[in-house]
Amino acid sequence: MISIDIEKKLRTYKGEQLLKIARQFPTGSITKIYGPSGAGKTTFLKIIAGFVRPEKGRIIVDGNIWYDSGPELFVPPQKRMAGFVFQDYALFPNMNVLEHLEYATNDNDWIKTLLSIGKLENLILHKPQYLSGGQQQRLAILRALAIKPKLLLMDEPFSALDPKMKTDLIGKLKILFDELKCTVLVVSHNQQELEELAENEMSITDTNDNGQV
């Protein structure tokens, strides 16, 4: 079970807004998160991962406290072992496809499985600048999965994929998530593309400095 109760002030083009979320996510569940631009969807994922600190609140994952503003407890991102798929991919320009996965795991069988899922087996020596946008996005997803995370946070993970590749990859990922018993939170502006993947949904809406989500 993932339990989140946080508050974070956001500075947007509309002024200061308050992101206030209290929500529980069952272990192994897949939840799509949607809402307008600037509402705090990406910030919410980064708070869970530990890249952004909220002003107050608590984050508990499978009984482990990752953040608590009361006793000022904060587990750094590298110790949370959550997989994160960045919207801009955040790939390493000096590493090829294989090195990206080897950076996260030394399990060669698992690497082969991931390469097959992402259809990147024939591109293992290619660096990001020689990959298409869709191939880069698939690599970002595979790298996040390489650590076999119990929690996977995905920010617009399918936006660069063509419809056929998207459908094929989502089908494979759904099976994989079930095998890993992985809890998944997916941010997307396209609700329809996640209909086959996510059984739960969560809306984050615009708020002003007196409001809450």
Side-chain angles (χ1 to χ4, degrees):
M1 176 71 73
I2 298 172
S3 178
I4 298 169
D5 188 353
I6 56 93
E7 292 184 17
K8 174 68 178 177
K9 289 183 179 179
L10 307 177
R11 295 185 182 276
T12 74
Y13 68 94
K14 295 182 179 180
E16 189 173 85
Q17 297 179 177
L18 178 65
L19 179 69
K20 185 175 182 180
I21 297 176
R23 180 78 180 246
Q24 291 186 331
F25 303 92
T27 299
S29 63
I30 304 174
T31 303
K32 61 180 179 182
I33 301 172
Y34 59 91
S37 297
K41 302 182 300 297
T42 295
T43 300
F44 177 58
L45 293 188
K46 289 184 175 181
I47 286 173
I48 298 171
F51 300 134
V52 173
R53 287 201 191 203
E55 267 76 38
K56 61 186 294 188
R58 175 181 282 193
I59 299 173
I60 303 175
V61 178
D62 293 334
N64 300 306
I65 299 176
W66 283 6
Y67 170 77
D68 192 334
S69 59
E72 296 186 2
L73 188 153
F74 179 82
V75 176
Q78 64 272 22
K79 291 187 177 181
R80 298 190 184 196
M81 293 299 289
F84 200 105
V85 180
F86 294 88
Q87 190 171 352
D88 62 358
Y89 316 146
L91 299 175
F92 304 121
N94 61 320
M95 289 187 182
N96 61 37
V97 169
L98 183 59
E99 289 169 337
H100 272 85
L101 302 184
E102 290 178 336
Y103 182 78
T105 181
N106 57 8
D107 186 336
N108 291 327
D109 290 337
W110 181 233
I111 289 175
K112 290 179 181 178
T113 297
L114 292 174
L115 289 170
S116 177
I117 289 173
K119 294 185 177 180
L120 296 177
E121 311 100 309
N122 298 323
L123 300 172
I124 60 173
L125 298 181
H126 286 57
K127 292 183 178 179
Q129 60 265 39
Y130 300 110
L131 300 174
S132 69
Q135 290 166 344
Q136 290 183 37
Q137 192 163 55
R138 279 178 273 152
L139 176 56
I141 293 171
L142 301 185
R143 181 183 60 180
L145 286 167
I147 61 172
K148 295 184 178 180
K150 292 302 181 184
L151 173 61
L152 180 63
L153 309 167
M154 309 175 80
D155 193 2
E156 298 285 356
F158 308 117
S159 58
L161 303 183
D162 63 66
K164 186 177 183 301
M165 176 62 71
K166 184 185 300 182
T167 299
D168 179 70
L169 183 59
I170 286 176
K172 292 177 179 177
L173 288 177
K174 190 170 184 178
I175 295 172
L176 189 66
F177 294 157
D178 186 58
E179 292 175 351
L180 294 175
K181 294 180 173 55
C182 182
T183 304
V184 183
L185 305 184
V186 190
V187 163
S188 178
H189 284 95
N190 187 339
Q191 296 182 47
Q192 291 184 336
E193 73 180 11
L194 297 181
E195 288 300 325
E196 293 298 317
L197 178 64
E199 66 268 22
N200 303 308
E201 63 179 41
M202 171 182 171
S203 173
I204 294 181
T205 58
D206 284 321
T207 62
N208 57 37
D209 57 355
N210 293 314
Q212 69 177 49
V213 177

